[in-house]
Amino acid sequence: VIDMHAWEASNITGLVDSWARRNSGRELWRHGSQPPLLLLLHDRVSWLDAAWNIDGLGHHKPQSPEALATARILHWTGPLKPWAANGLHQDLWQPFAVHCWRGFEDAVLPAT
């Protein structure tokens, strides 16, 4: 949840853009816009319950069945995305695949 008024008042988009331009050669960091967002927002956040972002589903990182059952957001960080042939947790992805892949009929989707 983002307070867009506070976001705009603090010029977060402009600051992230400025940092991204400084990093055009990927010499400061390698991972997109997340590092400057973390730096800019580290003291401006309210922490949510862990169920709001079950992270690491694209890695071989164990997740408890309880955590997966109560998850609000499933986050496939890592290389093993569920739409790839070697992806992880494809059973969790399948119910949502039709909504996410309109126009990408050639994507490798898990069998139903």
Side-chain angles (χ1 to χ4, degrees):
V1 179
I2 299 172
D3 178 343
M4 291 305 296
H5 295 291
W7 181 281
E8 290 174 3
S10 298
N11 190 32
I12 300 298
T13 300
L15 293 169
V16 169
D17 181 63
S18 174
W19 276 105
R21 290 176 191 279
R22 289 181 204 164
N23 192 45
S24 64
R26 295 175 51 140
E27 296 168 354
L28 300 174
W29 70 86
R30 299 179 303 164
H31 301 290
S33 60
Q34 189 164 356
L37 282 169
L38 292 172
L39 291 169
L40 291 167
L41 302 176
H42 78 280
D43 60 349
R44 302 176 189 200
V45 298
S46 297
W47 293 101
L48 299 173
D49 183 80
W52 282 98
N53 188 19
I54 301 299
D55 192 20
L57 294 176
H59 292 284
H60 289 288
K61 178 180 172 186
Q63 298 287 347
S64 74
E66 295 80 20
L68 294 172
T70 60
R72 307 288 196 292
I73 296 174
L74 299 172
H75 194 170
W76 273 267
T77 55
L80 302 173
K81 307 296 189 201
W83 51 86
N86 66 340
L88 298 176
H89 303 287
Q90 293 178 346
D91 57 316
L92 297 174
W93 169 256
Q94 185 62 42
F96 307 100
V98 68
H99 303 291
C100 297
W101 289 105
R102 288 188 184 134
F104 294 91
E105 289 78 13
D106 293 335
V108 178
L109 296 176
T112 56

